[in-house]
Amino acid sequence: MLKDDYTIDIIGRQEYAPQDTGEITLSTTGTYTQRGGARFIAYKEYDQEDPKLARTSVLKVEPGKVTMMRAGTTTRLILEKGKRHLCLYDTGYGPLTVGVFTSELHDALKQKGGSLRIKYTLDIDSNLSSKNELQVKVRPKKQDRM
């Protein structure tokens, strides 16, 4: 069971074509832990059609590299500055292999939280699919004081 003791704010921006853009914002609670040389940000994402359905998403943050994983799926995106990785992305209809190239990765995470900003592109069969930016802010939840 996740101990939701951190507030996690996520902004995801996508650009499919110059006039075709999208933005997703999420403010939720989750966990922020450190094991070995990696930090883990874990939170639940709820299905828009069925709010009772939730999947746990995990960001594993290592020096110069972030791995995005979603429980119950084959999704595993590897974001490593200056490198392109072939990764599995679960579309809901089955897995798709996508190329992920990370142009920027700013890791300002500290012991009690911080921020992460990543710019990357997704390509399918080496054809650009989208330009993406991900911003994540992690901070301890305010504790009620008696």
Side-chain angles (χ1 to χ4, degrees):
M1 188 72 183
L2 289 177
K3 184 180 171 198
D4 294 338
D5 52 356
Y6 278 80
T7 298
I8 300 166
D9 296 310
I10 300 169
I11 299 172
R13 292 185 184 94
Q14 304 80 33
E15 180 183 313
Y16 304 101
Q19 303 302 319
D20 187 6
T21 60
E23 182 173 290
I24 297 168
T25 59
L26 173 67
S27 187
T28 187
T29 56
T31 61
Y32 177 63
T33 56
Q34 203 166 337
R35 284 198 307 272
R39 293 185 169 95
F40 295 85
I41 302 167
Y43 58 94
K44 285 192 168 67
E45 285 186 88
Y46 292 89
D47 190 293
Q48 291 180 336
E49 265 119 69
D50 186 353
K52 292 178 187 152
L53 287 178
R55 283 210 169 105
T56 299
S57 291
V58 177
L59 298 175
K60 179 182 179 184
V61 183
E62 299 168 282
K65 180 176 164 183
V66 175
T67 305
M68 297 169 61
M69 300 165 277
R70 191 169 288 143
T73 73
T74 55
T75 296
R76 185 180 210 89
L77 297 182
I78 300 168
L79 303 159
E80 189 171 7
K81 187 175 178 181
K83 293 191 178 174
R84 180 177 177 267
H85 289 275
L86 287 176
C87 303
L88 280 180
Y89 181 79
D90 195 319
T91 63
Y93 300 100
L96 179 68
T97 300
V98 295
V100 181
F101 176 77
T102 306
S103 58
E104 290 182 37
L105 197 158
H106 299 280
D107 176 357
L109 292 170
K110 307 285 184 235
Q111 191 171 348
K112 295 285 184 190
S115 65
L116 196 57
R117 187 168 56 87
I118 307 166
K119 287 187 178 182
Y120 62 99
T121 58
L122 294 179
D123 65 78
I124 299 168
D125 291 333
S126 298
N127 295 310
L128 182 65
S129 173
S130 64
K131 294 179 183 176
N132 305 274
E133 183 175 352
L134 181 68
Q135 293 179 32
V136 181
K137 289 187 179 157
V138 181
R139 63 186 189 280
K141 265 176 43 176
K142 301 269 189 271
Q143 301 299 323
D144 293 330
R145 306 210 189 265
M146 297 235 161

